[in-house]
């Protein structure tokens, strides 16, 4: 569980918590639970250098979150769906759920940048059995989308895993689609699925339809 007070630098010009910062807090809650489960220490005995990466997520928000409000973030125990670990994060304000984020996490051998399948790892670890959670569905792929933007990835927009962070993808989408053009808005649902990663110096080209 994480307790957090929304800070002025986390909100948009209308005083609402930005979608990118909401995702950062949900991610932090699940990362804390990963460590609390004892997964990291046990896994490092098998693969020395590992990291948790998000394969896909679906974030929903039902009410605005404003500057100074107190949030309670909780994360479920893990579930396993093929190669990924499923975790569900919930955000409460005054005992009322205002947002949630369902994650599919992959465990990665960082030295070889290789995904470690969840079922293979769990067979080798002495961990409590995972609970059953619904899987995070995959997104359909569209073809022949027009180019919307492009950028060279710099080191300052990369996370601890060394690649372009999930929160920065959300910020990029908000900017490209001019999310706040018509005033204060609530991003009720956002889902992103990753097919790979962008490293510093690489060019990210965004295709889409406005």
């Amino acid at each position: 569980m994480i307790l957090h007070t929304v800070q002025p630098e986390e909100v948009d010009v209308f005083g609402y918590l930005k979608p990118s910062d909401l995702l950062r807090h949900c991610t932090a809650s699940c990362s804390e639970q990963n460590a609390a489960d004892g997964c990291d220490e046990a896994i490092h005995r098998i693969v020395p250098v590992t990291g948790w990466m998000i394969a896909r997520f679906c974030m929903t928000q039902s009410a605005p979150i404003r500057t100074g409000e107190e949030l309670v973030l909780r994360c479920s125990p893990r579930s396993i769906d093929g190669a990924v670990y499923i975790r569900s994060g919930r955000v409460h304000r005054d005992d009322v759920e205002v947002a949630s984020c369902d994650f599919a996490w992959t465990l990665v051998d960082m030295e070889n940048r290789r995904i470690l399948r969840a079922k293979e790892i769990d067979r080798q670890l002495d961990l409590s059995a995972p609970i059953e959670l619904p899987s995070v569905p995959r997104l359909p792929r569209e073809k022949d989308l027009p180019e919307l933007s492009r950028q060279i990835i710099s080191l300052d927009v990369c996370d601890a895993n060394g690649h372009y962070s999930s929160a920065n993808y959300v910020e990029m989408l908000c900017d490209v689609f001019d999310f706040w053009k018509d005033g204060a808005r609530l991003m009720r649902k956002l889902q992103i699925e990753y097919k790979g990663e962008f490293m510093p110096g690489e060019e990210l080209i965004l295709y889409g339809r406005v």
Side-chain angles (χ1 to χ4, degrees), residues 101-117:
C101 194
D102 297 323
F103 294 94
W105 293 82
T106 57
L107 190 63
V108 178
D109 175 351
M110 298 298 287
E111 291 184 337
N112 300 297
R113 227 65 183 180
R114 179 177 66 88
I115 292 175
L116 305 171
R117 289 183 61 84

Side-chain angles (χ1 to χ4, degrees), residues 112-141:
N112 300 297
R113 227 65 183 180
R114 179 177 66 88
I115 292 175
L116 305 171
R117 289 183 61 84
K119 288 184 178 179
E120 295 173 3
I121 289 294
D122 265 52
R123 280 199 296 266
Q124 303 179 60
L125 302 180
D126 183 21
L127 299 173
S128 58
I131 66 167
E132 290 299 321
L133 289 173
S135 62
V136 181
R138 292 184 176 275
L139 291 171
R141 299 185 68 178

